[in-house]
Structures are given as structure tokens and as C-alpha cells.
């Protein structure tokens, strides 16, 4: 088959982590197309602010990853898909119009050898490597992680507890260079509004402790 379509996409590798499952954050240099004139103007306005479309790619080598439900763009290779929470999967299929909060914690499991491309976004991504440790994050910023990492959902707080060893991909609200990491040692940190992206399991949160 012959085509005038270029076979090479102009993507920049921003960051990379992992061994058996290699996680990559890619960036599109510039977007030229769009479904209509309005969408093209919207894209150009976003790019004029310095934002670029980014996409997470994971190269699997007889390994597995977990991804946020409905975040998959496409798969290349010998990869099978299942769910990490079969109970919620059944509830979701029966009550599709009334998806429960618990079922928002469903994670798809992809296993095999090949490439996985997740849905692109103008938001920023960060890669975090856990080494036999545990972190707590907001459920909304989870995007993907190594299959060996255990995920537990706190329904009351809409939080995820990630524990084990491997790489975690988070969709963050600001660029990485605007995030501040605070190390606490027998100390106390007071923040205004919910601006904590993640925390170690040993860091406890108390709400409305102070009356301003």
C-alpha cells in the first residue's frame, strides 16, 4: 500500500522510568489539525500559553500495568486486558447509567509484550518510582502504574493507597517544576485548600483543626 502520510511522528521524549515496563512521557511539538475551525482556534490558544499535548506510552516486556479505566488510546502487540476489580466491573455493567463512586476506582490491567498508548492530554504528567513503600493520592490524578503495585481505594475520601515497588504515572494540575516537595520530621504543615498532590503513608491529615 502506498500513502502520502508521513510514517514518523514528531514526538519529544520528556521523561522515562522503569525496566520490564518502561513508562515514557511524550510531547507533541505542535498540532496543526482539528475537526473544525473552532477546535483549531482552541488548540492554538492553548499552545500560545506554552502548553503542549502530551501522551504516556508504556513498553511492556512480558509484564503488566494498571491504568485508569477508559484512559486507553490503543494497544500494539500481544497484550491482553482485564480488570483489577471484578466486582465493580459487574456493578458498572448492570447499572451503567448509575456508576457508583466505588466503581470509579476500577483499574484496567494490561499484560503481555508490546506498546500501550494512553489518551493524550494538555495536562502534565509525572513519573514516580516506589521502592517497597506506600503513598496516598487523590483518585482523580491516578493514570497508570506497574502491575505489581497494590491499589486500595478509600471510598470516604476518594483516595488511593499505592504500595509496593514500581513506577506510578500521575496526571498533575501544574508542571513538575511548580511542585514543592516538603520533608516533615516531627513537624506540622498547614495548607490552605486541598493542594496536596500526594503524601507518604506516615503523614496524617486533619481537617478544620484551626479556626481562622
Amino acid at each position: 500500500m502506498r500513502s502520502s502520510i508521513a510514517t514518523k511522528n514528531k514526538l519529544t521524549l520528556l521523561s522515562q522510568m522503569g525496566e520490564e515496563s518502561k513508562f515514557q512521557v511524550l510531547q507533541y511539538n505542535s498540532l496543526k489539525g482539528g475537526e473544525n475551525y473552532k477546535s483549531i482556534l482552541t488548540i492554538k490558544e492553548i499552545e500560545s500559553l506554552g502548553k503542549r499535548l502530551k501522551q504516556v506510552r508504556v513498553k511492556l516486556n512480558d509484564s503488566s500495568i494498571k491504568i485508569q479505566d477508559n484512559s486507553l488510546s490503543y494497544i500494539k502487540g500481544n497484550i491482553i486486558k482485564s480488570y483489577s476489580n471484578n466486582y465493580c466491573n459487574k456493578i458498572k455493567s448492570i447499572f451503567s447509567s448509575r456508576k457508583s463512586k466505588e466503581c470509579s476506582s476500577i483499574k484496567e490491567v494490561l499484560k503481555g509484550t508490546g506498546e500501550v498508548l494512553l489518551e493524550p492530554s494538555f495536562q502534565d504528567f509525572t513519573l514516580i518510582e516506589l521502592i517497597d513503600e506506600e503513598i496516598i493520592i487523590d483518585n482523580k490524578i491516578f493514570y497508570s502504574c506497574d502491575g505489581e503495585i497494590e491499589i486500595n481505594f478509600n471510598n470516604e475520601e476518594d483516595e488511593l493507597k499505592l504500595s509496593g515497588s514500581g513506577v506510578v504515572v500521575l496526571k498533575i494540575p501544574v508542571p513538575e517544576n511548580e511542585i514543592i516537595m516538603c520533608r516533615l520530621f516531627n513537624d506540622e504543615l498547614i495548607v490552605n485548600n486541598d493542594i496536596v498532590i500526594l503524601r507518604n503513608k506516615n503523614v496524617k491529615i486533619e481537617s478544620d483543626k484551626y479556626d481562622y
Side-chain angles (χ1 to χ4, degrees):
M1 181 181 72
R2 299 179 63 190
S3 172
S4 60
I5 300 175
T7 57
K8 292 185 178 180
N9 295 322
K10 293 179 173 59
L11 296 172
T12 301
L13 176 64
L14 297 182
S15 56
Q16 178 174 276
M17 274 189 186
E19 297 179 3
E20 292 182 351
S21 297
K22 191 178 296 293
F23 293 78
Q24 299 176 329
V25 179
L26 308 175
Q27 177 176 276
Y28 291 81
N29 296 330
S30 182
L31 301 178
K32 305 295 184 182
E35 294 183 356
N36 50 58
Y37 185 67
K38 183 177 180 180
S39 64
I40 294 174
L41 287 180
T42 301
I43 291 172
K44 292 307 176 185
E45 182 178 356
I46 294 174
E47 290 189 337
S48 69
L49 298 175
K51 304 293 289 184
R52 291 293 181 269
L53 189 69
K54 300 177 182 67
Q55 190 166 25
V56 173
R57 177 171 66 189
V58 188
K59 296 183 177 181
L60 300 182
N61 182 17
D62 193 21
S63 55
S64 65
I65 60 171
K66 297 173 183 176
I67 66 173
Q68 183 63 45
D69 190 30
N70 296 322
S71 66
L72 179 64
S73 181
Y74 67 89
I75 295 173
K76 176 185 176 184
N78 185 21
I79 298 173
I80 59 175
K81 182 170 67 170
S82 60
Y83 285 90
S84 63
N85 192 327
N86 292 327
Y87 172 76
C88 273
N89 184 34
K90 293 176 183 177
I91 296 298
K92 180 184 176 185
S93 62
I94 296 173
F95 303 102
S96 58
S97 63
R98 297 173 58 188
K99 183 177 177 183
S100 69
K101 188 175 181 180
E102 287 187 3
C103 287
S104 67
S105 66
I106 296 175
K107 308 300 177 234
E108 295 183 37
V109 179
L110 304 175
K111 184 176 182 179
T113 298
E115 293 186 8
V116 176
L117 275 292
L118 302 183
E119 285 289 340
S121 173
F122 280 106
Q123 278 192 254
D124 292 281
F125 298 97
T126 188
L127 304 179
I128 298 172
E129 184 177 16
L130 302 184
I131 303 176
D132 193 23
E133 54 191 322
E134 183 178 292
I135 61 172
I136 299 172
I137 65 171
D138 191 303
N139 183 37
K140 294 188 293 293
I141 70 171
F142 176 86
Y143 211 56
S144 180
C145 71
D146 267 306
E148 299 300 317
I149 292 180
E150 182 179 348
I151 302 176
N152 291 293
F153 180 58
N154 182 345
N155 187 33
E156 294 182 359
E157 301 294 335
D158 197 27
E159 292 179 334
L160 294 180
K161 180 170 66 175
L162 309 178
S163 54
S165 297
V167 177
V168 178
V169 184
L170 303 180
K171 184 185 285 189
I172 53 178
V174 296
E176 289 180 315
N177 60 5
E178 295 182 11
I179 295 176
I180 299 174
M181 183 172 65
C182 297
R183 298 183 182 273
L184 302 179
F185 180 73
N186 292 331
D187 206 349
E188 186 177 74
L189 176 68
I190 302 174
V191 297
N192 185 24
N193 299 321
D194 185 16
I195 60 173
V196 179
I197 294 177
L198 68 86
R199 70 181 192 275
N200 185 278
K201 67 173 182 177
N202 297 320
V203 176
K204 308 300 180 183
I205 290 183
E206 295 184 16
S207 301
D208 302 324
K209 181 177 179 181
Y210 296 94
D211 184 14
Y212 294 100

